[in-house]
Amino acid sequence: MSKLLYLMFFCSGFGFGQNNLSFSNDQYSGINSAPLSPTTPYFNPNKWDVSIFSTDILFQNDYAYISDQNIFGLLKGGVKTANPQKGITGESQANVLDFYKHDFVKYNLESDIVGPSFSFRQKIKGQTFRLGIFTRLRTQGSAKDIDYYMRFSNQIVIEPAEYSFQPLKTNFMNWNEFGLNVSTNLYTTNTQELIVGASIKYALALDAAYINSKNPIKLDAVLTSTSTLENPDADIYASNYDIEASYTTNYDFDKDKYVYKNRGNGVGIDLGIALVNRRINDELYDSKIALNLLDIGYVNLKGENHLFKNSTLVQIRNNPRLDDVDFKSIQQYARILSNEVYGDTLASYNGNKFTIGLPTSLNFNLSKKVRPNHYINFNWVQRVPVFENSLKRTNILQTSYSIQKDGFGIGTSLSLYEYEKIGFGGYVRIGPLILGSENALPFVFKQNKLNSGSFYIGLKLYPFWDNEAKRRSREPCDCE
């Protein structure tokens, strides 16, 4: 159990993030924007576009930081771990991995890799449709208000004699996603269009975990004969626990390698609607208001479900039956822990199925042209988990300013994550290459406490050499 608790706390350290919001407002983003707005591919002036790949990585945390450093500076190495007893702290030295002293911590990790994908415009019985297919590899986990019991060992101090570890929920999933995106106009006038879009998605799970601790766990620290201020090494005992834990993974612990297998199946759907105003014969709109409901769905998983609910006092530190074992798999650890709690290695087993909901969210978008090819944009992403054990997307408020042209685009953005953390970034699109970051400052400027950063890269094939005049010249002429 001690290693399980340490794993939960360690996961609060770093996270990964979702699609680049500022680039998703670019009308040339095409199929890359479908995961955040199923209607946006419709506005691409080009008839077709192909995404070879794109990946978005973001990390943030309120658990640990590196003092007086930037991300590029980390490549030089030399990071020390804090040791207050030896005078090594983030407050007094640069390049030190130190830990916050919060009572509670949280994390939300998201990674999105979009693989080969494409979209094209097609008229069917006089109706214009935008059709697209996308593939993704997604990783996401979340927890909020995790009781930060590790703050004592991180600061190398003896834990309290009695402590109440508060209830928590945390989950994680790594999955493939295959989607069909369709968008079309419901009605069109000389100046307005009402666009609807949807993405139907099949989810194939690769790895997943779920932990639900329902009771305040009582933790007792008993000093040993070797416990000192310089070497706090108290025995830790847990009681009053009621923990449900489920997991499945493609990592083969016996062969020490990752084996690709289907660990669960699910479905999801994204829905969107957008009202746009545009001038007659203008490819790019003047203004847009859009509402999207994303990731409505869930995944049924095949794995192991365990229940640890007992009044038995379990030693979770300095227990030779746990500390001296060379654990080779999660299953092995669960069996030994079951024996500690129930005196039976299989008593905790509670079935082989569990469910995790997709990270359902609302995305509200406003976009307004301020001069030719110049747009100011606003995005609001709000999580609205609806299914059992749902993953939770990061809440974001963002405003951006972008210039959108054939073969070139650029934008700057200001974001507010979880309504408390500010990020400054943007993107640049040059021909087929897109580079961006929603939190770029930590890359180049030293941060007093480096604990976040993001990076986005994409490579697309689309007729960026094309332009409005060439497209018009190819349109059929009704003249005599």
Side-chain angles (χ1 to χ4, degrees), residues 308-361:
F308 301 98
K309 183 178 181 179
N310 205 326
S311 58
T312 302
L313 198 66
V314 176
Q315 186 173 354
I316 60 175
R317 184 197 281 172
N318 297 335
N319 184 341
R321 294 183 298 275
L322 295 176
D323 296 340
D324 296 343
V325 176
D326 181 17
F327 289 105
K328 298 185 181 300
S329 70
I330 301 175
Q331 183 185 71
Q332 178 194 9
Y333 184 76
R335 298 289 188 267
I336 294 176
L337 187 58
S338 176
N339 192 62
E340 288 291 306
V341 174
Y342 299 107
D344 184 339
T345 57
L346 297 178
S348 67
Y349 184 73
N350 194 40
N352 64 351
K353 296 180 181 179
F354 63 104
T355 298
I356 290 183
L358 295 179
T360 311
S361 66

Side-chain angles (χ1 to χ4, degrees), residues 71-267:
I71 292 175
F72 287 134
L74 294 177
L75 300 176
K76 300 177 183 178
V79 178
K80 300 178 181 178
T81 302
N83 189 326
Q85 273 68 29
K86 295 182 179 180
I88 303 174
T89 67
E91 284 81 6
S92 61
Q93 298 181 37
N95 219 30
V96 173
L97 173 63
D98 207 342
F99 305 93
Y100 291 101
K101 301 179 178 66
H102 308 313
D103 291 338
F104 294 89
V105 294
K106 59 181 177 290
Y107 79 95
N108 200 91
L109 63 91
E110 303 170 25
S111 173
D112 198 348
I113 300 174
V114 179
S117 309
F118 68 91
S119 72
F120 62 94
R121 187 171 61 243
Q122 182 67 43
K123 279 200 172 184
I124 303 176
K125 294 183 179 181
Q127 180 81 8
T128 299
F129 288 86
R130 193 87 190 190
L131 306 174
I133 292 177
F134 58 85
T135 61
R136 304 165 73 186
L137 173 61
R138 302 178 67 181
T139 303
Q140 184 154 351
S142 61
K144 157 173 210 193
D145 297 331
I146 302 177
D147 197 326
Y148 190 16
Y149 185 67
M150 275 183 66
R151 66 186 182 272
F152 303 111
S153 59
N154 284 341
Q155 298 302 316
I156 315 182
V157 297
I158 297 175
E159 290 83 358
E162 294 184 356
Y163 190 90
S164 180
F165 186 93
Q166 296 304 303
L168 69 86
K169 284 186 179 182
T170 182
N171 55 16
F172 161 87
M173 189 162 67
N174 180 35
W175 75 103
N176 282 134
E177 201 169 85
F178 307 91
L180 170 66
N181 175 251
V182 180
S183 55
T184 188
N185 55 334
L186 283 186
Y187 77 83
T188 304
T189 68
N190 288 338
T191 58
Q192 282 190 332
E193 277 188 294
L194 182 64
I195 311 301
V196 292
S199 294
I200 301 172
K201 306 181 293 187
Y202 166 71
L204 188 155
L206 305 175
D207 310 276
Y210 166 70
I211 297 173
N212 182 12
S213 177
K214 304 174 184 178
N215 283 348
I217 302 173
K218 183 183 179 184
L219 299 177
D220 294 302
V222 179
L223 296 180
T224 68
S225 59
T226 60
S227 297
T228 65
L229 291 178
E230 293 75 21
N231 181 34
D233 189 33
D235 295 338
I236 307 294
Y237 296 87
S239 59
N240 190 46
Y241 42 85
D242 184 357
I243 302 174
E244 181 183 0
S246 305
Y247 78 92
T248 187
T249 181
N250 270 326
Y251 189 81
D252 189 325
F253 292 93
D254 292 328
K255 297 179 180 179
D256 196 22
K257 66 178 183 178
Y258 195 84
V259 180
Y260 187 93
K261 291 182 180 179
N262 181 5
R263 295 293 178 179
N265 302 284
V267 293

Side-chain angles (χ1 to χ4, degrees), residues 35-97:
L36 279 166
S37 173
T39 59
T40 300
Y42 183 87
F43 303 114
N44 188 350
N46 297 309
K47 185 175 181 179
W48 58 269
D49 81 299
V50 176
S51 174
I52 299 175
F53 82 94
S54 68
T55 181
D56 187 23
I57 299 174
L58 165 74
F59 61 88
Q60 339 179 44
N61 82 103
D62 60 357
Y63 167 68
Y65 66 89
I66 298 175
S67 58
D68 294 321
Q69 187 57 275
N70 60 41
I71 292 175
F72 287 134
L74 294 177
L75 300 176
K76 300 177 183 178
V79 178
K80 300 178 181 178
T81 302
N83 189 326
Q85 273 68 29
K86 295 182 179 180
I88 303 174
T89 67
E91 284 81 6
S92 61
Q93 298 181 37
N95 219 30
V96 173
L97 173 63

